[in-house]
Amino acid sequence: MSNSLHPMLNVAIKAARAAGALINRAALDVESVRVAQKQVNDFVTEVDQAAERIIIETLLNAYPQHSILAEESGNEHGAKNSDHVWIIDPLDGTTNFIHGFPVYCVSIALAYKGKIEHAVVYDPSRNDLFTATKGRGAYLNERRIRVSKRTQLRDCLISTGFPFRRGDNFKQYMLMLGEVMQRTAGVRRPGSAALDLAYVAAGFADGFFESGLSIWDVAAGSLLVSEAGGLVGNFTGESDFLEQKEILAANPRIYGALIPVVGKYSKFATAGEKAAVRQAVKTGEFEEAAEEGAEQAAAEGKSQD
């Protein structure tokens, strides 16, 4: 596998490993890491920033003509209008990292003309390297990975991320979470979306859903999932999700089973579904609210809002 890697993927691996080494060194004395607050419950550390610098340096050293889109520095580095854009999350799972909870990763993707072509997700705590190139499959430590083969939602382990910023629709999320919990074998919230997606690709989890994520959280992981035979989209199953701030990923059968559960909570849901969800948020009960929403939608002549 390694000798046939695309040169751009090789450079991304080199960058991710360099960042991972830096993160591992900092993790040995996490108490001394300086932390700043970007907004409520959203932290950035000097480690995020140093990891991002080393990644950008490695990539631009090899490809000075490429553009960069990185979580901490945005697009201030690299060429401005290249068809090649590196999308970087230097430390996904910062809150875990600050606490010494060893679930975080480096995420690097390369988009060409808006489509993700290469992906690396590197977990420095476990030394797990997930890689994918479009059309060539997904790998964990050079072994081919596939999504799980489970077909019944009730047997599935699903991961998610909780909303944590003011203004997130917390009650609506709790309803959705409650619905998923009752239909599955278990729900997990590990705290690093890029790693959650890598785990779906490897079959360690059967599905993943979260709203409010940015492109650098999902770019690399989404290619891992699709190259491992899974499906990725928004909550209604549409595949144009990268900038939509909602993502659903799973093996194909479970993806199909999750859409009716989470789809009505999508910002792209129908007017009737949205009305039912609003009613359920008020009452905390979904069943009768869903019926009312259906009746209301029928009365409205199924007009979309």
Side-chain angles (χ1 to χ4, degrees):
M1 147 90 185
S2 35
N3 44 12
S4 68
L5 284 188
H6 191 285
M8 286 180 195
L9 185 63
N10 259 329
V11 171
I13 291 169
K14 183 181 165 191
R17 286 198 182 277
L22 186 153
I23 292 164
N24 275 343
R25 281 197 301 278
L28 297 173
D29 187 14
V30 79
E31 292 298 301
S32 71
V33 170
R34 282 198 305 276
V35 179
Q37 200 154 346
K38 285 198 278 201
Q39 46 183 319
V40 177
N41 291 341
D42 195 358
F43 303 98
V44 60
T45 67
E46 55 189 336
V47 180
D48 295 67
Q49 289 158 337
E52 187 166 293
R53 276 195 300 275
I54 203 165
I55 291 166
I56 292 171
E57 213 170 277
T58 307
L59 299 174
L60 290 181
N61 212 3
Y63 300 107
Q65 74 284 18
H66 286 186
S67 296
I68 299 285
L69 174 57
E71 175 166 22
E72 309 310 338
S73 62
N75 54 9
E76 71 186 59
H77 301 284
K80 284 300 165 259
N81 294 313
S82 173
D83 283 339
H84 289 93
V85 183
W86 292 98
I87 305 168
I88 302 159
D89 192 337
L91 177 52
D92 184 34
T94 303
T95 305
N96 284 347
F97 173 80
I98 292 166
H99 288 84
F101 191 89
V103 181
Y104 41 80
C105 68
V106 179
S107 174
I108 303 174
L110 177 68
Y112 177 66
K113 296 188 173 174
K115 296 268 186 273
I116 310 295
E117 296 276 316
H118 300 288
V120 175
V121 170
Y122 179 55
D123 171 351
S125 311
R126 298 176 62 93
N127 193 21
D128 274 345
L129 181 74
F130 298 86
T131 57
T133 291
K134 197 170 178 61
R136 300 189 62 176
Y139 292 82
L140 164 55
N141 302 329
E142 305 196 351
R143 296 179 61 169
R144 186 78 185 258
I145 51 175
R146 300 288 301 173
V147 292
S148 80
K149 292 186 172 67
R150 287 190 185 86
T151 57
Q152 303 291 321
L153 208 44
R154 63 172 181 267
D155 300 326
C156 287
L157 184 64
I158 305 295
S159 59
T160 186
F162 301 147
F164 58 85
R165 294 184 186 93
R166 282 206 193 104
D168 287 341
N169 196 333
F170 196 71
K171 284 183 175 162
Q172 183 173 315
Y173 176 80
M174 293 307 283
L175 275 178
M176 178 166 63
L177 178 63
E179 283 208 66
V180 174
M181 281 172 139
Q182 290 170 57
R183 289 171 166 82
T184 55
V187 174
R188 300 289 179 266
R189 197 280 192 233
S192 166
L195 206 50
D196 289 336
L197 286 163
Y199 276 25
V200 170
F204 303 159
D206 303 290
F208 166 70
F209 68 97
E210 187 168 354
S211 55
L213 293 174
S214 299
I215 189 166
W216 45 77
D217 298 309
V218 298
S222 62
L223 183 66
L224 290 171
V225 171
S226 55
E227 285 297 318
L231 294 174
V232 197
N234 66 22
F235 291 170
T236 64
E238 303 291 319
S239 60
D240 188 20
F241 64 91
L242 273 177
E243 313 248 8
Q244 293 183 345
K245 295 198 176 288
E246 56 176 59
I247 184 170
L248 173 65
N251 80 42
R253 290 283 293 274
I254 297 309
Y255 185 82
L258 281 168
I259 289 168
V261 184
V262 302
K264 54 186 170 285
Y265 298 96
S266 170
K267 55 181 140 182
F268 308 101
T270 66
E273 288 172 324
K274 285 179 174 169
V277 167
R278 278 195 297 274
Q279 184 58 32
V281 165
K282 276 192 211 131
T283 62
E285 281 301 319
F286 205 87
E287 273 61 30
E288 57 260 46
E291 281 160 31
E292 277 172 39
E295 282 158 24
Q296 188 180 332
E300 287 169 12
K302 304 243 182 316
S303 65
Q304 296 284 318
D305 64 0

